[in-house]
Amino acid sequence: MAPQKLVLVLTIFVAVCSLAAALDAKPKGPPTPKLPSKYQTIHPGKSGKRNQVAACDDPKDKKKPCTASCPKNCPDECIVYCEACMTFCLCDFYPGMSCGDPRFTGADGNNFYFHGKKDQDFCIVSDADLHINAHFIGKRNPAMSRDFTWIQALGIRFADHSLYMGAQKTIKWDDDVDRLELTFDGMPVTIPDEIDGQWQSKAVPALTITRTSMTNGVRVELKGVFDILAKVVPITEKDSQIHNYGVTEDDSLAHFDIGFKFYDLTDDVHGVLGQTYRTNYVNMLSVTANMPIMGGAPNYVSSNIFATDCKVARFGRKAAISMITTTTS
């Protein structure tokens, strides 16, 4: 390899490692943070084109803006490393992410798939004071032995409370129509229809839900416990053609892309994603495979969206979170 090319490759490698390290330095599993100046998030799918001129033009360096194309695994949103005009999927960098046909990024930084089964609930995080189930929707391809699956809803338990986040079934997708469904302790949650519009729980002042976009995007925070970014997205006709999902006109299969940050998990935490946050977690998956798959689905099955009866459940002790969620007089 020529010296100049070798230097470029090493520079890119160091830059990518630095970004990953910076993202991992914060509390466990951060939602998308602000990127360093050398990086930018682009959304080619917004304009219907694969290529898009990213705003990587710095007047000081006198270089032309970078024209970038997102990887095929994330054609609608990705990160651009401006100095080399290279792109990467967000899910490849952020611990705690779940994207698409559920592809998780564990706390150890490794990606893996968990297919689960359509129309069933699975515990993805279970700890003494926190339990999160995910409801899977899916589509069966007759040529395959499994379902294509996506996360349609989350059921979150903490202290004596329950929070539901769901993507409503949608026949024809429209980005301008909000398809989020939110309830807290069984009551509907209403958020102002504006970016940064916020709902705050009266019963649990530490719990807030903030719009990150006019429709379909929210940030859910319970201070000191978790921080969740969630976005409702459809399976597009293009997605279906590429992956052979077999999506029909009667259902756009609206689902969540989700990012998690956890602040105070114990070392006994379990669940599909939760177990990767243990200090003694050993990844037994084939990380070099094109599609590392976590099996053992029966261990994670829950009887409903709020049930804490999966085989690896840890939920039960309430004191720690009760202390920070009670209303002060």
Side-chain angles (χ1 to χ4, degrees):
M1 182 181 294
Q4 290 181 333
K5 291 185 178 179
L6 178 59
V7 170
L8 177 60
V9 170
L10 290 174
T11 300
I12 294 169
F13 177 76
V14 171
V16 171
C17 290
S18 298
L19 174 60
L23 299 179
D24 196 44
K26 296 187 178 183
K28 298 177 180 180
T32 307
K34 291 183 178 179
L35 293 169
S37 58
K38 293 181 180 179
Y39 302 86
Q40 186 192 24
T41 302
I42 61 171
H43 304 83
K46 295 288 185 180
S47 61
K49 299 178 181 179
R50 283 299 301 271
N51 292 331
Q52 175 176 311
V53 177
C56 290
D57 52 336
D58 185 348
K60 296 179 181 179
D61 62 20
K62 299 181 180 180
K63 293 181 180 179
K64 292 182 178 180
C66 171
T67 301
S69 177
C70 287
K72 63 181 180 180
N73 291 337
C74 52
D76 297 330
E77 184 176 37
C78 64
I79 296 172
V80 182
Y81 174 49
C82 297
E83 289 195 353
C85 200
M86 293 189 67
T87 54
F88 309 89
C89 294
L90 277 71
C91 288
D92 293 332
F93 283 106
Y94 301 131
M97 288 291 290
S98 170
C99 301
D101 185 5
R103 180 165 71 97
F104 292 89
T105 302
D108 60 351
N110 289 309
N111 296 322
F112 64 90
Y113 287 82
F114 177 78
H115 298 306
K117 192 173 182 180
K118 68 176 183 178
D119 301 326
Q120 288 193 2
D121 303 293
F122 297 87
C123 59
I124 58 173
V125 175
S126 188
D127 205 4
D129 298 317
L130 177 67
H131 188 94
I132 303 177
N133 285 336
H135 181 76
F136 284 48
I137 57 172
K139 193 76 175 179
R140 172 54 64 95
N141 183 328
M144 299 180 65
S145 60
R146 68 168 183 87
D147 300 326
F148 288 118
T149 52
W150 301 272
I151 293 177
Q152 179 268 331
L154 294 180
I156 303 172
R157 295 277 304 276
F158 60 91
D160 296 316
H161 303 287
S162 58
L163 173 67
Y164 174 84
M165 304 167 54
Q168 297 176 350
K169 183 174 180 179
T170 306
I171 295 176
K172 186 175 181 180
W173 183 259
D174 184 342
D175 283 332
D176 295 326
V177 178
D178 197 30
R179 303 305 294 163
L180 272 167
E181 181 178 355
L182 300 163
T183 67
F184 181 61
D185 290 343
M187 299 299 293
V189 170
T190 303
I191 313 172
D193 296 328
E194 58 186 11
I195 296 177
D196 293 329
Q198 187 177 88
W199 170 89
Q200 182 176 27
S201 169
K202 293 181 179 179
V204 185
L207 177 65
T208 58
I209 303 178
T210 307
R211 285 198 185 275
T212 56
S213 58
M214 290 291 291
T215 60
N216 299 310
V218 290
R219 185 170 199 156
V220 183
E221 298 179 81
L222 179 59
K223 290 182 180 179
V225 183
F226 61 72
D227 187 351
I228 300 173
L229 283 177
K231 183 179 181 181
V232 180
V233 295
I235 295 298
T236 65
E237 184 177 348
K238 185 176 181 180
D239 292 334
S240 185
Q241 291 174 349
I242 293 174
H243 300 288
N244 199 25
Y245 289 145
V247 173
T248 56
E249 294 183 353
D250 63 341
D251 191 355
S252 64
L253 293 171
H255 63 280
F256 279 127
D257 279 348
I258 314 167
F260 299 94
K261 178 194 289 183
F262 301 106
Y263 292 94
D264 196 27
L265 295 175
T266 72
D267 221 23
D268 190 44
V269 63
H270 217 304
V272 175
L273 177 63
Q275 63 188 300
T276 69
Y277 287 84
R278 293 180 172 188
T279 57
N280 64 349
Y281 174 71
V282 178
N283 190 336
M284 303 299 291
L285 305 177
S286 175
V287 296
T288 59
N290 290 332
M291 186 185 289
I293 298 174
M294 180 174 288
N299 292 323
Y300 309 109
V301 174
S302 296
S303 58
N304 63 63
I305 193 67
F306 287 121
T308 59
D309 56 3
C310 62
K311 291 181 180 179
V312 298
R314 301 293 194 262
F315 187 75
R317 179 173 54 84
K318 304 176 183 179
I321 289 183
S322 294
M323 290 172 63
I324 69 165
T325 59
T326 51
T327 305
T328 56
S329 57

